[in-house]
Amino acid sequence: MTIDHATSVFDVVAALLAELVGDAEVLGIEITPDTTFHEDLQLESIDLVTFASILAEHFGAEVNLAEHLAEQDLDDVIGLTVGDIARFVGERTCPR
């Protein structure tokens, strides 16, 4: 994955996430690669399911976040960051 691709994927993922949570900056949160879904954004598992649908709709079926999360340990899901999701999406959408 190129740096340009990784950066553009992160920007799109962050924008889609901002639409889901509303204006995070109003809440005093800047969405960065280190922003956590659970602790920083206070998102619940149902929010991750919703976000998985948003990502699949935007990027296509090859970006199946729900399936990816089902393979993770609970602690990994709880510690999930925006950067983790962007890397996941980037790996599945990287031009070949």
Side-chain angles (χ1 to χ4, degrees):
M1 180 169 40
T2 67
I3 291 174
D4 289 342
H5 181 68
T7 301
S8 67
V9 167
F10 174 80
D11 290 345
V12 172
V13 167
L16 293 171
L17 184 58
E19 288 179 23
L20 175 67
V21 300
D23 191 351
E25 289 184 11
V26 169
L27 302 173
I29 300 167
E30 179 184 356
I31 296 177
T32 70
D34 295 325
T35 302
T36 61
F37 282 82
H38 181 71
E39 191 171 318
D40 295 331
L41 297 174
Q42 301 293 309
L43 295 178
E44 301 291 330
S45 58
I46 190 68
D47 298 312
L48 283 175
V49 171
T50 301
F51 194 53
S53 296
I54 291 168
L55 291 174
E57 185 177 311
H58 185 85
F59 290 104
E62 67 274 4
V63 177
N64 189 336
L65 180 61
E67 182 179 279
H68 175 68
L69 294 177
E71 298 170 355
Q72 305 298 311
D73 293 330
L74 180 59
D75 289 338
D76 292 335
V77 174
I78 290 171
L80 195 64
T81 67
V82 178
D84 295 334
I85 297 296
R87 274 188 296 284
F88 167 77
V89 172
E91 289 168 359
R92 276 144 189 84
T93 60
C94 188
R96 305 212 192 297

